[in-house]
Amino acid sequence: MIERTRDRYAAKVNNGYVELSRERWSELRKNTPLTLTADELEELRGVDDPIDLTEVTDIYLPLTRLLNLHFTGSKQRSSVLSAFLGHPGERVPYILGIAGSVAVGKSTTARLLHTLLARWPEHPHVELITTDSFLYPNAVLEAKGIMHRKGFPESYDRRALVRFVAEVKAGTPEAYAPVYSHLEYDIVPGATQAVKNPDILIIEGLNVLQPAPPTSLAVNDYFDFSIYVDAKVEDIRTWYVDRFHKLRRTAFEDPKSYFRHIAELSYDEATAFAVNVWRDINERNLIENIAPTRGRADLVLQKDADHSVRRVRLRRT
């Protein structure tokens, strides 16, 4: 009995990662306080994401503790380098990347960490952007003949994204990102999001761990820490179709919605449409481009079919 209990809580090292069970990971919360209410969590949850305060306590409080320790260490290293260069007091923003498939819950993870990290006294100014803001406008995608590959690496203005992150990392007082409308499924002409010298910048997106072409920089070259939200492909497919139906009954009914015609489909027609989109676009992108970058992450959150995180993999090397 004692040996079985030890096995349950043991941390295993595999391919440079320490693998921790949910129970072992939750112990690492220590005294990190829960600063989130159920009502606040409801506002942060994605469509059909069943996350609750138990999940926050067991998974995200230990994660914010780890990130705070990592942030403090990074800040100390930056101070040493700034002093060496003769620029004492110079502050270098900490950049956190979050990757994963469509419908896996990475946006909820990003919003949740944004809120929790901003409540630590060490870093009150936390900003969040998504790489959707750096998709090419639909008109450009149409002209390139890749509208059907929206979300694939080539559909993003990679240079603009890297330039933006480089400006933030360099301490530029204000850096500007485009704005993407999920309702209109396109970049909003002329709109920008200002990021004003944050303590922490969270960048969430499908391909943020994608390597750069030869002789170029990738956005993840500027990351201080990265997270990959993982799950079985068949589970993500189910979540995607379920979310699609929820959106069909809500956001898609808006007259301004790009997908307004979907709301008029029958349940079976909408299901068939969602399954085809998943198979031809999202699953293909996941298998070809997103999942292969999982090994580049510093930490992997592995989800079960009920969306709960059952295991955490933390890079040691």
Side-chain angles (χ1 to χ4, degrees), residues 267-288:
Y267 181 88
D268 289 342
E269 290 172 332
T271 298
F273 182 90
V275 169
N276 288 338
V277 170
W278 171 260
R279 182 192 62 237
D280 297 339
I281 299 176
N282 296 311
E283 184 173 356
R284 184 176 174 186
N285 194 20
L286 171 60
I287 293 172
E288 294 179 3

Side-chain angles (χ1 to χ4, degrees), residues 198-238:
D199 296 303
I200 297 176
L201 172 63
I202 300 172
I203 302 176
E204 174 256 307
L206 300 174
N207 298 296
V208 294
L209 295 178
Q210 199 77 27
T215 73
S216 300
L217 287 172
V219 63
N220 56 77
D221 288 322
Y222 295 94
F223 290 173
D224 294 283
F225 197 88
S226 57
I227 298 168
Y228 186 94
V229 184
D230 196 20
K232 293 180 179 179
V233 174
E234 53 267 31
D235 290 335
I236 307 176
R237 180 191 302 117
T238 297

Side-chain angles (χ1 to χ4, degrees), residues 44 85 151 153 186 285:
L44 297 172
L85 295 173
D186 203 356
N285 194 20

